[in-house]
């Protein structure tokens, strides 16, 4: 019985062993016709996005033992041809030395550039641009469904100071620079696909160079505005139980009443922390891009994530890979910020009566303030006594 | 609105000053990627 069982197992194993499908996942093409180089089968498999065994190239790196004497033609090459040298560089089999100095000077070929480029030119533009159009469309629908949020009973006619000049300055420094960064960032990302067909490469070259200059340099104003607004408003944006009540009431958007709120309601706090956290992150990746190869961050970040979550993100990154990760992350975070800010611009302008005044001249209608920030009004009036502007 | 305009002007002034300051401190790309023995200008 045991002998029969062993025989069956041996037969199955032998079948599997000699079955070309199991024994060899990737068919080995006949390369004698190409002298060992890639064949039509390799090209076709690559076009079908099937796995290609690159060992015929990665292991074909020359043999110094076959080198002719130094006095013979090409003898000084040490038995290694140019193409074999470049293959060795590509497959990271030699440590090249260059006379160029710099953190990335010895990376001569980096295969990861193509997936980065495809991601940037494909899904990044498609999904990022699509999300921007979707949020604008949603807000247009929302405007026609809900209409402008008006002051119940109309404005009081008297005003109260909502934001001091320095607060508004910090806000507009952040907002103005963010809009400039957003527009120039979109031109940089999408211009090649959408603007060159319209305006031609020459005009776009000028626009792209100007966008790059503005994007790189106005970033400092953005970071200053981010720090200013954080310092001025963080104390008012600490989450508390009141925020939960506000969220449960949906901010009063679809109901008659207005949930209580202090200086900032839960919706504004969400915007604040979104801008602060994502703004900090986009600033870090921006600095990494602004000073190429000087501030690599992703290998260390991945190492921390791996140690905490047990994931296996790559931690041995080439300098260019660091830049590629920074670029992709910069774009993703910027798109999420743009979505949040477009909604913020809507509710702060056409979406709500009286809201723009808060950042326009700093004075808001007292009735508006009582309806949207009743506890804050009570605090201000308690401090300074009832009356007009405070 | 004056505050808003002044903040926008400040952003442009910062953007104009930033490359000058960075160059002053030797943080230009050219300075960062060359040795001291290389004359850049």
């Amino acid at each position: 019985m045991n002998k029969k069982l062993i025989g069956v197992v041996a037969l199955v194993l032998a079948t599997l062993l000699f079955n070309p499908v199991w024994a060899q996942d990737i068919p080995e093409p006949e390369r004698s016709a190409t002298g060992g180089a890639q064949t039509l089968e390799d090209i076709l498999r690559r076009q079908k996005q099937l796995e290609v065994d690159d060992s015929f190239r990665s292991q074909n790196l020359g043999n110094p033992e076959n080198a002719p004497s130094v006095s013979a033609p090409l003898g000084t090459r040490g038995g290694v041809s140019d193409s074999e040298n470049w293959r060795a560089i590509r497959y990271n089999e030699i440590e090249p030395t260059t006379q160029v100095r710099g953190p990335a000077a010895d990376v001569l070929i980096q295969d990861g550039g193509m997936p980065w480029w495809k991601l940037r030119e494909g899904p990044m533009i498609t999904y990022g641009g699509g999300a921007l159009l979707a949020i604008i469309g949603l807000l247009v629908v929302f405007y026609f469904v809900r209409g402008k949020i008006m002051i119940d009973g109309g404005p009081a006619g008297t005003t109260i100071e909502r934001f001091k000049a320095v607060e508004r300055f910090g806000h507009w420094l952040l907002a103005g620079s963010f809009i400039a960064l957003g527009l120039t960032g979109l031109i940089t990302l999408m211009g090649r696909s959408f603007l060159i067909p319209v305006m031609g490469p020459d005009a776009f070259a000028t626009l792209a160079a100007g966008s790059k200059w503005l994007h790189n340099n106005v970033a400092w104003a953005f970071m200053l505005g981010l720090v200013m607004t954080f310092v001025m408003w963080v104390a008012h944006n600490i989450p508390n139980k009141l925020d939960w009540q506000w969220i449960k009431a949906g901010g009063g958007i679809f109901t008659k009443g207005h949930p209580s709120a202090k200086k900032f309601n839960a919706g504004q706090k969400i915007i604040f922390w979104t801008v602060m956290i994502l703004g900090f992150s986009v600033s870090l990746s921006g600095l990494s891009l602004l000073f190429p190869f000087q501030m690599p961050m992703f290998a260390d970040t991945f190492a921390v994530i791996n140690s905490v979550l047990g994931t296996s993100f790559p931690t041995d990154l080439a300098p260019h890979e660091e830049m590629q990760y920074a670029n992709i992350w910069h774009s993703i975070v910027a798109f999420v910020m743009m979505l949040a800010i477009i909604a913020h611009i809507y509710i702060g302008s056409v979406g709500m009566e009286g809201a723009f005044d808060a950042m326009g001249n700093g004075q808001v209608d007292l009735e508006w303030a009582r309806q949207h920030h009743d506890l804050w009004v009570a605090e201000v009036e308690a401090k300074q006594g009832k009356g007009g502007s405070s | 609105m004056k505050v808003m305009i002044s903040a926008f002007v400040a952003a442009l002034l910062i953007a104009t000053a930033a490359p000058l300051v960075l160059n002053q401190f030797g943080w230009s790309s050219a300075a960062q990627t060359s040795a001291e023995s290389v004359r850049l200008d």
Side-chain angles (χ1 to χ4, degrees):
Chain A
M1 182 66 185
N2 284 342
K3 282 182 181 176
K4 281 185 180 177
L5 190 63
I6 291 168
V8 169
V9 171
L11 182 65
V12 169
L13 286 176
T15 309
L16 291 177
L17 184 66
F18 292 108
N19 184 328
V21 175
W22 288 88
Q24 188 178 335
D25 286 330
I26 304 169
E28 181 68 30
E30 171 58 42
R31 292 201 171 85
S32 59
T34 59
Q38 75 175 340
T39 62
L40 182 61
E41 284 85 354
D42 294 319
I43 296 169
L44 290 174
R45 282 185 69 81
R46 196 172 290 114
Q47 285 179 349
K48 290 174 187 169
Q49 300 192 329
L50 297 171
E51 193 180 344
V52 179
D53 182 6
D54 266 349
S55 60
F56 72 96
R57 288 198 292 190
S58 61
Q59 292 171 14
N60 186 12
L61 307 178
N63 185 1
E65 288 176 11
N66 296 337
S69 69
V70 288
S71 58
L74 299 180
T76 52
R77 301 301 306 268
V80 180
S81 70
D82 265 0
S83 52
E84 287 159 346
N85 260 332
W86 281 106
R87 273 197 292 274
I89 290 167
R90 176 172 194 161
Y91 292 103
N92 210 24
E93 293 296 327
I94 59 171
E95 292 288 336
T97 344
T98 71
Q99 291 183 324
V100 182
R101 291 290 169 259
D106 57 354
V107 180
L108 304 183
I109 298 177
Q110 199 249 324
D111 274 1
M114 284 313 291
W116 163 76
W117 183 77
K118 284 179 181 172
L119 181 62
R120 186 179 182 275
E121 297 296 305
M124 193 60 69
I125 291 178
T126 307
Y127 294 120
L132 289 184
L133 293 177
I135 190 79
I136 292 168
L138 275 174
L139 289 171
V140 170
V141 171
F142 181 79
Y143 181 79
F144 285 110
V145 171
R146 173 61 177 83
K148 192 169 192 170
I149 299 170
M150 306 300 285
I151 301 171
D152 293 340
T158 54
T159 59
I160 182 171
E161 186 179 50
R162 176 91 172 118
F163 292 114
K164 294 186 176 75
V166 66
E167 290 178 288
R168 283 179 281 138
F169 182 86
H171 171 271
W172 287 119
L173 188 67
L174 185 66
S177 55
F178 181 77
I179 290 170
L181 288 166
L183 290 175
T184 51
L186 288 175
I187 288 170
T188 306
L189 178 67
M190 301 183 173
R192 198 169 292 150
S193 305
F194 298 106
L195 293 181
I196 286 180
V198 177
M199 61 198 298
D202 296 336
F204 178 72
T206 308
L207 179 67
S211 290
K212 177 180 173 288
W213 183 90
L214 193 62
H215 198 90
N216 286 355
N217 294 312
V218 91
W220 301 103
F222 173 80
M223 288 184 266
L224 178 62
L226 196 71
V227 172
M228 281 184 74
T229 46
F230 179 79
V231 170
M232 291 188 294
W233 291 337
V234 66
H236 297 288
N237 280 283
I238 307 297
N240 56 39
K241 285 180 183 174
L242 206 59
D243 298 325
W244 182 235
Q245 303 295 329
W246 191 93
I247 290 169
K248 278 200 294 188
I253 290 175
F254 292 106
T255 54
K256 289 237 169 189
H258 294 280
S260 286
K262 292 188 175 181
K263 181 159 183 167
F264 295 113
N265 60 40
Q268 291 167 317
K269 288 181 184 180
I270 290 169
I271 286 289
F272 176 83
W273 287 111
T274 301
V275 169
M276 289 303 144
I277 293 168
L278 298 186
F280 180 66
S281 183
V282 85
S283 299
L284 285 181
S285 56
L287 285 170
S288 188
L289 294 167
L290 206 52
F291 300 102
F293 311 120
Q294 304 292 317
M295 298 174 64
M297 297 173 182
F298 276 85
D300 292 341
T301 307
F302 286 161
V304 171
I305 293 172
N306 289 345
S307 65
V308 173
L309 301 178
T311 48
S312 54
F313 287 113
T315 53
D316 183 23
L317 300 176
H320 297 81
E321 280 180 295
E322 284 278 359
M323 298 292 291
Q324 286 151 7
Y325 276 112
N327 176 266
I328 293 298
W329 182 250
H330 196 71
S331 304
I332 292 171
V333 174
F335 270 121
V336 176
M337 281 189 82
M338 280 189 268
L339 296 178
I341 294 304
I342 288 170
H344 173 68
I345 291 171
Y346 168 81
I347 204 70
S349 56
V350 296
M352 180 183 282
E353 182 187 15
F356 184 79
D357 294 334
M359 279 300 163
N361 58 16
Q363 303 288 327
V364 292
D365 186 82
L366 190 57
E367 190 53 36
W368 178 92
R370 282 189 176 133
Q371 287 176 16
H372 296 288
H373 301 278
D374 54 339
L375 299 177
W376 169 73
V377 173
E379 281 176 14
V380 172
E381 288 179 339
K383 274 185 190 171
Q384 302 183 354
K386 288 186 178 180
S389 55
S390 52
Chain B
M1 296 297 276
K2 282 180 189 170
V3 174
M4 184 175 81
I5 301 296
S6 60
F8 292 166
V9 171
L12 283 175
L13 287 176
I14 291 169
T16 309
L20 303 175
V21 174
L22 290 172
N23 281 340
Q24 194 71 25
F25 284 99
W27 286 346
S28 69
S29 291
Q32 287 292 311
T33 52
S34 66
E36 286 181 10
S37 55
V38 177
R39 189 173 61 198
L40 294 171
D41 298 315

